Amino acid sequence: MKMKAVVATVITVALTSVVIGNAYYQKKQFYPSVVYLTNSNPSMAVMYLQAFILVLLMGKILRKIFFGQLRPAEFEHLIERSWYAITETCLAFTVFRDDFNPKFIALFTLLLFLKAFHWLAEDRVDYMERSPVIGLLFHVRILSLLTLLAQSDMYFIHHAYLFTATKGPSVQLVFGFEYSILIIMIVNILIKYVLHAIDSRWEAPWESKAAVLLYTELAINFLKVLLYVGFVAVMVRIYTLPLFAFRPMYETMRSFKKAYNDVVLSRRAIRNMNTLYPDATADELAAADNECIICREEMHSGAKKLPCNHIFHAACLRLWFQRQQTCPTCRLNVLRAPAPEQANANAPAPHANAPHANAPNANAPAPPPPTAPVPPPFPNMPPPPMMGWGMPPPPPPRPASLATLSVEELQRLEGTERRHIEARLQLLHEIQAMLNASVLLMQQYSNVVSNLPLNCSNVATQTEIHRTEPSPEPSPVRVKTDPDVVPTTSTYKPTAGPSTSTDYTFDPNDPTLDSNRDQSDADAEELRRRRLQKFKEIHSDK
Amino acid sequence: MMAGSALRRLMAEYKQLTLNPPEGIIAGPVNEENFFEWEALIAGPEGTCFEGGIFPAKLLFPPDYPLSPPKMQFVCEMFHPNIYADGRVCISILHAPGDDPTGYECSAERWSPVQSVEKILLSVVSMLAEPNDESGANVDAAKLWREDREQFNKIAKRLVRKTLGLPPAE
Ligand SMILES: [Zn+2]
Ligand SMILES: [Zn+2]
C-alpha cells in the first residue's frame, strides 16, 4: 500500500517533469512554455494528475499533523463517507453542468477535502470517550484543527454569500450550504469536545452528560433540518430538485426524529423512575448480589426497583432509558407497565418473595443464543402465526375475570375513589395490551415483520405480568420467526387489575431459558470440554 | 459516566474471561492501551463442518458500551449464511432492539446490557453450529447450506484447514 503510493507519486512527479521539460525545451522561454502547456490536452491531463497527487500528499501531511496515525475504524469510516460524498458530488455536477470547469472541480475537491477533516475530527472527538488517556497533544491538535476548519468554513460561506449577492445564484449556493452544514458540525464537535473534556477531568461519574448530549443532538439536528429544507426550497425555485442532497437530508431528518423521540420517551421513563419506582431495600439489594447488571459494579444506595422487581443503579438506568425504555433484564416496557405502588400495597402472600426469586435471574446466563439448536416446536400444529388463533382465544371478556375476584377484591374495586380509578386505568392498560397483541398477531400473520419483534416483546411482558401461576405451556417457542407473543397471549389469564399487579414474577424468558438449558446442558458441557482440549492442543502446537 | 463506566465494565469482563474462560473461546483487548478493540479466537464447534478450525475475529466496542452492542467481524475468510462477505457477523444479539436489518429477529434475543462478550461469543459458536438460513448475510452460503450441504461442508472444511495454515489437500 505504502509502496504503491510512493511509486505513484514518483511516477507522476517524473511525468510532470518530463512534460514541463519538454515544453521548456521546445519554447525556451517561460510564458510560451506555459501557453504551450495549457494548449496541450495530454500535458494538462498530466498537470491535473499532479495536482490531484499533490492534494492527496497535502492531505496526508495534514492528517499526520492533526491526527497522527488513523485507527482502522476511522479509516474505514472515512472511506465509506467519501464514497457517498463523491457520488453526490457527481450528481451535483449534473445540475450545474453549465458551470462545469476546472475551477469548479477544484472547489469541489477542496470541499471534499475539508469535509474529510471534519469527519475525522468528529470521529476523534467521539473517541475521547473511549480512550483511557488523553494527552496535551490531543487537545492542542483538536483545538487548532477545529479553529482552522471553522475559519475556512466561515471564509467559504462569506465568499459564497458575496458571490451570490453580486452575481446572482450559481453553484456557489451549494458551497454556501455545504459549508453551513460543516460549520454546524464544527459547533457540534466542539460541544462534544467540551463535554468529554469536562467528563474526563472529573473523577466522579457525570450523570447529566448523556442528557446534555441528547439535547445537543436534538438542537443540532433541528438546525440541520432547517438548513436542508431551506436549501431544497431554494434549489427547487431556482434550478431543479437537488437529488444530491436527498440522502443526507433524509438521514438528518431521521436522526432528528430519533433525537426527538429519544428525548420525549426518555424523559417520560426517567420521570417515572424518579417518581414512581421505589428505592431498592437492603434486602433486595442483597438478593441481587449487590451487583448492577448494567455496569457490573456494586450497588450500595441509589438503586431503583422497576415494576418487574429488577434492580439497577438509578444512574445506570437513566442512561439506559435515554436509549430504550425497557427493563434491561426482562425487557418489560416501563412506559407501558402499570405504576408499581399498587403492587406493593396489595402484594399477595405467595409472591411476597418475588424479588428474591427473580433477582438471581439478572445474573443468569443469556437468553438462548439466537441460533440455539431448538427443533421446530410444533410438529403437529399449524404454523406459528396460527398459534394465537388456534389456542384458547385471546383475552376473554371482563365478566369472567370479575367472577374470579374475591368479594374483598371486588369491594376494593368499588372502594375508595382512587382505587376505583386505578382499577379502570389498569383495565384500559390491559385492553390496550390485548389490542396490541391482536394487531401484532395479524401483522405476523401477514408477514409484516418490520419493528414487530420490539413491540411483541413489550406486549408479551405486559400480558405475562398477569398470570397467577406458572403456565404449563410446554413449548419453548424460540424460533426466529416466532415472537413470544404467541404463547403468551394464548395463556393469558386476566385477573383483577390492581389486586394482582404484583405478580411480576414470571420473566418471559424463563420457561424458554430453562427448558433450553436442560435440554442442551449436558451435551454442551461435554462438547465444550472437548473443544477446549482441542483448542489447547492446537495452541500448544503453534 | 460513560467513558469510565464502559472502560470499567470491559476491564471487568476481560478479567472474568481470563479467570474463567469459556471453552473454545479466547478473547481480550488487542492491546491494553485500548480496551475498546478486542480480538477473539473461536474454535469451530465439534461435530460440525467447522470442527477443528480456529477462527480469529475482532470486536469493536462503542463508547457507551454496554448500552450499545459491540460490532463483531471475522478477520479470516468465512463462508456462512450469517456472516457477510467482509466477515461482519449478523446475529440478533449484536443488534439493538429497534434496528432490525432483517426484520425477523425477536427482541428477546437482542442486545441489552445484560448481554456480555462471553454471551456474544457463545452465540457465535452456536451460530457456527446451526446457521440460520433466513438471515441473508451471505445469500450464496445460505442457498448452499439449504440445497447442497455436501458442497457447503467441503467449503467449510477448506476454510478450517486454511485457518490452521494447512494446505487444502486431503
Ligand atoms: Zn450500575
Ligand atoms: Zn425486569
Side-chain angles (χ1 to χ4, degrees):
Chain A
M1 188 69 203
K2 261 217 164 98
M3 243 358 253
K4 268 189 201 161
V6 172
V7 170
T9 316
V10 169
I11 290 178
T12 44
V13 170
L15 262 177
T16 315
S17 331
V18 168
V19 166
I20 294 177
N22 176 46
Y24 198 74
Y25 177 76
Q26 299 211 351
K27 301 291 169 187
K28 308 288 188 223
Q29 276 171 333
F30 181 69
Y31 284 108
S33 313
V34 172
V35 172
Y36 173 83
L37 272 178
T38 45
N39 283 337
S40 142
N41 273 340
S43 310
M44 278 320 279
V46 170
M47 297 304 274
Y48 284 137
L49 187 66
Q50 177 66 59
F52 181 69
I53 296 274
L54 279 181
V55 167
L56 280 187
L57 266 181
M58 183 78 179
K60 274 201 168 165
I61 292 169
L62 286 178
R63 198 199 68 202
K64 267 265 174 326
I65 292 174
F66 287 115
F67 297 107
Q69 192 66 39
L70 286 191
R71 291 174 304 116
E74 286 174 334
F75 189 71
E76 270 168 36
H77 206 180
L78 179 67
I79 297 291
E80 187 188 327
R81 292 171 109 168
S82 303
W83 266 119
Y84 279 122
I86 290 172
T87 325
E88 277 147 16
T89 306
C90 291
L91 267 175
F93 283 162
T94 62
V95 178
F96 296 98
R97 49 193 172 277
D98 298 340
D99 303 84
F100 199 83
N101 59 40
K103 188 191 166 206
F104 179 74
I105 297 178
L107 280 175
F108 262 108
T109 314
L110 188 63
L111 173 66
L112 196 65
F113 189 77
L114 286 171
K115 265 189 188 172
F117 276 89
H118 285 80
W119 298 330
L120 286 176
E122 191 178 35
D123 276 356
R124 217 14 100 81
V125 167
D126 284 343
Y127 181 65
M128 278 176 82
E129 283 187 298
R130 287 178 266 173
S131 139
V133 273
I134 293 177
L136 183 65
L137 181 65
F138 182 92
H139 293 287
V140 173
R141 273 173 163 173
I142 285 291
L143 284 177
S144 53
L145 177 69
L146 287 183
T147 322
L148 222 79
L149 289 178
Q151 269 172 1
S152 54
D153 290 348
M154 288 312 282
Y155 169 78
F156 282 111
I157 293 173
H158 186 67
H159 179 255
Y161 173 76
L162 284 185
F163 194 91
T164 311
T166 53
K167 303 200 176 156
S170 69
V171 72
Q172 283 296 334
L173 270 180
V174 180
F175 287 115
F177 163 74
E178 290 277 7
Y179 284 110
S180 312
I181 290 283
L182 287 181
I183 198 98
I184 292 182
M185 198 170 164
I186 291 281
V187 173
N188 194 11
I189 298 173
L190 199 66
I191 293 176
K192 279 195 206 164
Y193 168 78
V194 171
L195 290 177
H196 295 336
I198 296 175
D199 192 26
S200 65
R201 289 278 157 128
W202 285 12
E203 279 300 304
W206 181 23
E207 285 163 18
S208 50
K209 179 180 166 195
V212 178
L213 277 174
L214 214 61
Y215 283 103
T216 313
E217 190 82 350
L218 186 66
I220 293 284
N221 275 309
F222 180 66
L223 274 180
K224 277 192 183 174
V225 167
L226 278 188
L227 255 179
Y228 271 111
V229 170
F231 174 69
V232 169
V234 169
M235 284 297 288
V236 168
R237 275 187 72 111
I238 300 177
Y239 294 95
T240 167
L241 268 185
L243 282 179
F244 58 91
F246 272 28
R247 187 198 59 88
M249 182 167 90
Y250 171 74
E251 281 191 354
T252 310
M253 285 184 160
R254 211 174 51 174
S255 41
F256 173 68
K257 194 175 152 235
K258 194 176 162 291
Y260 179 77
N261 276 341
D262 284 354
V263 167
V264 169
L265 294 180
S266 65
R267 275 182 68 104
R268 235 181 21 222
I270 291 168
R271 199 181 52 224
N272 279 0
M273 183 183 78
N274 291 335
T275 57
L276 296 179
Y277 308 148
D279 288 332
T281 63
D283 282 352
E284 288 165 340
L285 283 177
D289 280 345
N290 276 5
E291 195 193 43
C292 164
I293 201 69
I294 299 180
C295 60
R296 303 282 154 98
E297 283 171 40
E298 272 188 31
M299 291 186 284
H300 297 297
S301 57
K304 284 279 184 183
K305 190 172 80 173
L306 293 185
C308 51
N309 287 326
H310 291 129
I311 301 170
F312 310 91
H313 283 128
C316 293
L317 265 185
R318 190 171 303 129
L319 289 173
W320 175 244
F321 283 160
Q322 275 157 7
R323 282 161 188 79
Q324 269 169 54
Q325 295 73 44
T326 58
C327 166
T329 305
C330 68
R331 293 171 205 274
L332 171 81
N333 184 331
V334 292
L335 291 180
R336 291 206 217 164
E341 280 101 336
Q342 306 167 8
N344 291 340
N346 306 320
H351 297 296
N353 57 355
H356 301 259
N358 219 10
N361 186 43
N363 303 323
T371 44
V374 180
F378 317 112
N380 46 10
M381 272 193 204
M386 296 297 294
M387 277 286 287
W389 312 109
M391 303 295 279
R398 272 291 129 190
S401 60
L402 280 179
T404 65
L405 288 179
S406 70
V407 176
E408 193 196 336
E409 283 168 324
L410 272 173
Q411 274 170 346
R412 232 185 276 154
L413 272 178
E414 297 285 341
T416 63
E417 191 99 72
R418 184 183 157 83
R419 285 254 164 87
H420 202 88
I421 292 167
E422 281 172 351
R424 277 192 201 153
L425 285 175
Q426 186 73 31
L427 296 189
L428 285 174
H429 270 300
E430 285 179 15
I431 291 168
Q432 192 193 10
M434 287 185 254
L435 287 175
N436 284 344
S438 45
V439 167
L440 285 165
L441 278 170
M442 283 310 288
Q443 278 179 348
Q444 174 75 4
Y445 188 66
S446 52
N447 271 330
V448 180
V449 275
S450 64
N451 271 335
L452 177 66
L454 177 62
N455 296 340
C456 84
S457 151
N458 296 341
V459 175
T461 350
Q462 181 85 11
T463 46
E464 197 100 8
I465 283 159
H466 297 282
R467 281 202 220 158
T468 42
E469 52 184 20
S471 150
E473 211 52 38
S475 53
V477 185
R478 187 99 336 218
V479 165
K480 296 247 121 171
T481 45
D482 215 346
D484 300 19
V485 70
V486 174
T488 345
T489 322
S490 56
T491 54
Y492 188 89
K493 288 179 194 135
T495 44
S499 56
T500 52
S501 36
T502 10
D503 303 356
Y504 301 117
T505 334
F506 302 104
D507 189 315
N509 292 332
D510 270 352
T512 327
L513 263 177
D514 289 337
S515 52
N516 216 24
R517 242 180 279 143
D518 289 348
Q519 170 195 351
S520 54
D521 245 2
D523 302 355
E525 217 39 58
E526 172 64 7
L527 259 176
R528 288 226 230 130
R529 202 183 54 74
R530 283 202 225 151
R531 208 182 296 140
L532 182 62
Q533 224 169 4
K534 185 151 208 157
F535 200 50
K536 279 179 182 154
E537 279 164 25
I538 291 164
H539 263 264
S540 52
D541 285 355
K542 272 189 179 174
Chain B
M1 163 83 205
M2 287 153 97
S5 145
L7 200 58
R8 282 200 301 275
R9 174 159 158 164
L10 282 170
M11 285 174 173
E13 284 200 45
Y14 178 44
K15 196 171 149 203
Q16 179 64 26
L17 272 172
T18 340
L19 291 178
N20 219 339
E23 300 151 75
I25 290 171
I26 292 180
V30 178
N31 64 58
E32 311 247 326
E33 302 255 290
N34 180 6
F35 262 86
F36 289 81
E37 286 181 33
W38 286 32
E39 55 192 354
L41 288 175
I42 295 173
E46 190 153 303
T48 73
C49 51
F50 294 103
E51 176 178 350
I54 299 290
F55 303 99
K58 65 176 179 184
L59 287 139
L60 287 179
F61 294 88
D64 58 353
Y65 183 81
L67 302 174
S68 301
K71 289 196 173 67
M72 182 169 173
Q73 188 174 22
F74 278 99
V75 292
C76 59
E77 192 186 339
M78 283 304 253
F79 187 74
H80 188 284
N82 310 115
I83 301 176
Y84 287 99
D86 62 0
R88 274 179 302 131
V89 178
C90 177
I91 52 175
S92 50
I93 195 176
L94 291 175
H95 298 142
D99 70 12
D100 189 351
T102 45
Y104 61 81
E105 293 161 345
C106 202
S107 78
E109 297 158 351
R110 300 299 197 77
W111 178 259
S112 107
V114 177
Q115 314 288 15
S116 62
V117 179
E118 180 177 350
K119 287 171 187 169
I120 291 172
L121 294 175
L122 289 174
S123 291
V124 168
V125 169
S126 76
M127 173 200 79
L128 288 178
E130 297 269 320
N132 170 9
D133 58 10
E134 281 169 80
S135 130
N138 184 339
V139 182
D140 294 340
K143 192 158 174 258
L144 217 55
W145 170 262
R146 259 197 317 269
E147 293 166 8
D148 190 352
R149 191 65 60 88
E150 217 164 279
Q151 184 61 26
F152 184 94
N153 290 346
K154 233 178 177 170
I155 296 178
K157 284 267 173 294
R158 182 177 62 78
L159 292 180
V160 165
R161 293 184 67 83
K162 203 168 168 187
T163 64
L164 299 178
L166 298 170
E170 230 171 323

